[in-house]
């Protein structure tokens, strides 16, 4: 029986040593910033996906004009905003991982979210080039499938990351010794 009580008292002490001590108000502020930036990122990605779909339904010179307007006034500023939101989400996620019991890569769902965030930010960078090329007429409009693929797959990744945040599936990356 004393072994159980010793294990219970040393396990939280060990977990506290692995965490970065942070005041509760600061942790909650970081959490709110993380949730707001993730929500903004998803909203911006939805808007960009809708704009790309609108451009894709057009034909001929009308399509070129739509893509020029999208690139100049909507998509590029939206994507830069999404990239900023994604980077804020990444930084606050890392801070939360260091400051909470979930850890940075202690649980599989947190590690997967970290990877998804990096992948989605990379996809945003890949998305900027084709839209700019389409607006200037450098890239043929038949290559629009790549832009549509990036937009919809980024939305799917962000949705999956949101599901991971709510359900917290799987377990620890490595089992803790008792």
């Amino acid at each position: 029986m004393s072994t159980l009580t010793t294990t219970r008292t040393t396990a939280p002490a060990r977990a506290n040593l692995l965490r970065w001590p942070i005041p509760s108000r600061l942790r909650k502020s970081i959490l709110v910033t993380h949730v707001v930036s993730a929500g903004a990122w998803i909203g911006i990605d939805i808007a960009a996906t809708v704009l790309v779909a609108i451009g894709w339904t057009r034909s001929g010179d009308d399509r070129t004009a739509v893509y020029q307007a999208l690139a100049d006034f909507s998509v590029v500023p939206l994507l830069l905003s999404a990239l900023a939101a994604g980077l804020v989400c990444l930084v606050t996620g890392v801070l939360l991982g260091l400051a909470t019991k979930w850890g940075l890569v202690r649980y599989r769902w947190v590690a997967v979210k970290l990877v998804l965030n990096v992948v989605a930010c990379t996809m945003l960078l890949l998305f900027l080039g084709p839209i700019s090329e389409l607006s200037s007429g450098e890239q043929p409009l038949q290559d629009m499938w790549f832009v549509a693929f990036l937009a919809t797959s980024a939305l799917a990744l962000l949705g999956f990351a949101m599901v991971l945040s709510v359900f917290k599936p799987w377990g620890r990356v490595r089992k803790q010794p008792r």
Side-chain angles (χ1 to χ4, degrees):
M1 185 163 187
S2 64
T3 311
L4 286 176
T5 56
T6 307
T7 305
R8 286 183 185 164
T9 56
T10 57
R14 183 171 176 230
N16 285 338
L17 290 176
L18 297 175
R19 282 192 273 171
W20 174 47
I22 186 170
S24 178
R25 283 187 179 195
L26 179 58
R27 182 186 53 78
K28 288 177 182 178
S29 298
I30 293 171
L31 180 60
V32 167
T33 304
H34 182 71
V35 171
V36 168
S37 65
W41 192 6
I42 289 171
I44 292 167
D45 193 46
I46 288 171
T49 303
V50 167
L51 291 172
V52 167
I54 290 169
W56 206 355
T57 60
R58 305 291 183 202
S59 62
D61 291 337
D62 192 22
R63 179 186 263 184
T64 306
V66 168
Y67 281 131
Q68 285 176 338
L70 286 175
D72 294 341
F73 303 112
S74 297
V75 177
V76 172
L78 274 176
L79 292 179
L80 291 176
S81 301
L83 186 59
L87 292 175
V88 167
C89 194
L90 179 63
V91 169
T92 56
V94 168
L95 289 175
L96 288 169
L98 294 174
T100 63
K101 69 178 182 176
W102 301 111
L104 194 55
V105 288
R106 189 177 299 152
Y107 287 86
R108 287 184 180 97
W109 68 271
V110 178
V112 169
K113 276 187 62 176
L114 181 65
V115 169
L116 289 176
N117 191 309
V118 171
V119 168
C121 283
T122 304
M123 289 174 68
L124 275 169
L125 291 173
L126 293 174
F127 190 66
L128 282 169
I131 283 290
S132 299
E133 290 173 3
L134 282 170
S135 71
S136 65
E138 295 175 23
Q139 188 177 10
L141 294 175
Q142 290 81 15
D143 291 344
M144 193 58 205
W145 68 268
F146 177 69
V147 175
F149 168 77
L150 286 175
T152 54
S153 57
L155 190 56
L157 287 177
L158 294 174
F160 183 61
M162 186 70 70
V163 169
L164 290 177
S165 297
V166 172
F167 291 102
K168 298 172 179 53
W170 313 311
R172 286 181 171 265
V173 171
R174 188 176 45 154
K175 298 287 184 193
Q176 295 290 340
R178 291 189 176 214

